Amino acid sequence: MKKMLKRAGEKILDLLYPHTCPFCGEVTERRICRTCAREVWYIREPRCKKCGKPIRSESSEYCFDCLHTRHFYERGLSLWKHEKQVRTSIYRFKYQNRRIYSQFYTEELAKKFGKYVVGWRISLIIPIPLSRKRKKQRGFNQADLLAEGLSQLLGITADTVHLQRTVDTIPQKELGNRERRENLKNAFWWTGKELSGRNVLLVDDIYTTGNTIDSAARSLKKAGAEKVYFLTISIGQGY
């Protein structure tokens, strides 16, 4: 009887709140609608061995940016290129309060990259923080949801408190590369216990130039972290 009532309740919920594709928003019984399943491609090799951006040449190990930039993280990986349906999905996630998408994102991150996280010997997952002002405006930090979801799926502790953004920086998308680096200089500060010898995983929604991840990684290494890695939902194209 309980099982029957539960199934009936689930059917009613499905009618009231039908599942929609996290990319296009169309109602579908599948995790991803058939159209988006054909059009949204996971990043595959060849990809940069540092930042994980897809690169065109199989003979190259690193993208142009990583060849000419000193990074403070060890390595990172992302699910999809930041374009078309993926860009729309993340926009809705962040700015239209589609927090429910975080479950889909974290399940995909854990499925695709869980083995890497184990190999990296991660002992702490840390989201990239928003400033207090921006978090208050948005109502939540999307990276917190990703970190908490991965923590549950991978059984690794998440700390959403002690990495803090010390200044309310100008949105990175409004700046050039050199300005982005200056904008994020000393933007983060670790306020928790020393991270001596620990390998840490940073989590965010998008990786563009890597300046945000680098600035956060630098502060964590100052706090004693041995190695810093990252995972994001999407990333730009490498060259």
Side-chain angles (χ1 to χ4, degrees):
M1 179 62 100
K2 287 183 179 179
K3 288 183 179 180
M4 290 176 64
L5 289 172
K6 183 180 179 182
R7 287 173 185 170
E10 288 174 349
K11 287 182 179 179
I12 292 171
L13 286 174
D14 287 340
L15 290 171
L16 292 173
Y17 306 102
H19 174 73
T20 58
C21 174
F23 293 113
C24 68
E26 293 296 318
V27 175
T28 177
E29 295 181 355
R30 303 160 61 93
R31 279 172 58 81
I32 305 171
C33 75
R34 293 181 185 277
T35 300
C36 291
R38 290 194 301 268
E39 295 180 357
V40 179
W41 291 78
Y42 291 92
I43 294 173
R44 298 181 176 88
E45 299 293 346
R47 58 184 168 196
C48 177
K49 295 186 182 300
K50 191 71 173 179
C51 73
K53 283 183 180 178
I55 52 180
R56 295 189 174 96
S57 174
E58 293 187 6
S59 61
S60 299
E61 292 189 341
Y62 302 100
C63 68
F64 180 85
D65 287 342
C66 289
L67 281 172
H68 297 85
T69 305
R70 178 195 175 192
H71 290 301
F72 291 91
Y73 62 80
E74 314 306 317
R75 190 185 177 189
L77 292 165
S78 306
L79 290 168
W80 304 289
K81 285 198 291 185
H82 191 66
E83 59 184 18
K84 299 179 181 178
Q85 294 100 319
V86 174
R87 185 188 296 112
T88 300
S89 179
I90 293 176
Y91 180 87
R92 289 171 176 163
F93 174 45
K94 293 169 66 172
Y95 302 114
Q96 296 181 355
N97 203 22
R98 300 292 179 87
R99 304 186 201 190
I100 193 171
Y101 288 1
S102 66
Q103 181 179 349
F104 168 71
Y105 296 144
T106 52
E107 286 174 355
E108 293 303 297
L109 286 166
K111 182 170 67 176
K112 295 292 182 180
F113 304 134
K115 63 182 180 181
Y116 290 96
V117 175
V118 171
W120 295 338
R121 298 183 180 180
I122 300 299
S123 64
L124 191 64
I125 301 174
I126 300 173
I128 295 293
L130 294 175
S131 68
R132 290 183 181 180
K133 179 181 177 182
R134 204 169 300 167
K135 187 173 182 179
K136 186 176 180 180
Q137 290 173 340
R138 192 174 300 171
F140 68 103
N141 177 13
Q142 70 279 357
D144 285 354
L145 301 182
L146 298 175
E148 289 165 355
L150 281 173
S151 174
Q152 292 177 5
L153 291 171
L154 300 177
I156 301 171
T157 301
D159 187 319
T160 62
V161 176
H162 292 108
L163 181 62
Q164 297 186 4
R165 193 179 287 255
T166 57
V167 292
D168 187 13
T169 54
I170 300 169
Q172 290 289 87
K173 61 185 178 182
E174 298 177 12
L175 304 172
N177 192 38
R178 184 174 296 179
E179 292 171 316
R180 289 183 181 197
R181 283 191 171 275
E182 190 63 30
N183 184 45
L184 287 165
K185 193 174 182 179
N186 302 317
F188 301 99
W189 188 257
W190 178 253
T191 62
K193 294 181 180 179
E194 188 175 344
L195 297 170
S196 181
R198 301 184 73 174
N199 289 356
V200 176
L201 179 69
L202 282 168
V203 179
D204 205 3
D205 55 336
I206 306 166
Y207 180 107
T208 48
T209 62
N211 292 323
T212 300
I213 296 290
D214 266 328
S215 182
R218 186 175 186 178
S219 69
L220 295 175
K221 288 197 170 180
K222 284 183 178 179
E226 180 71 21
K227 294 181 179 179
V228 180
Y229 299 85
F230 77 83
L231 293 180
T232 64
I233 301 168
S234 68
I235 195 167
Q237 173 70 48
Y239 298 96

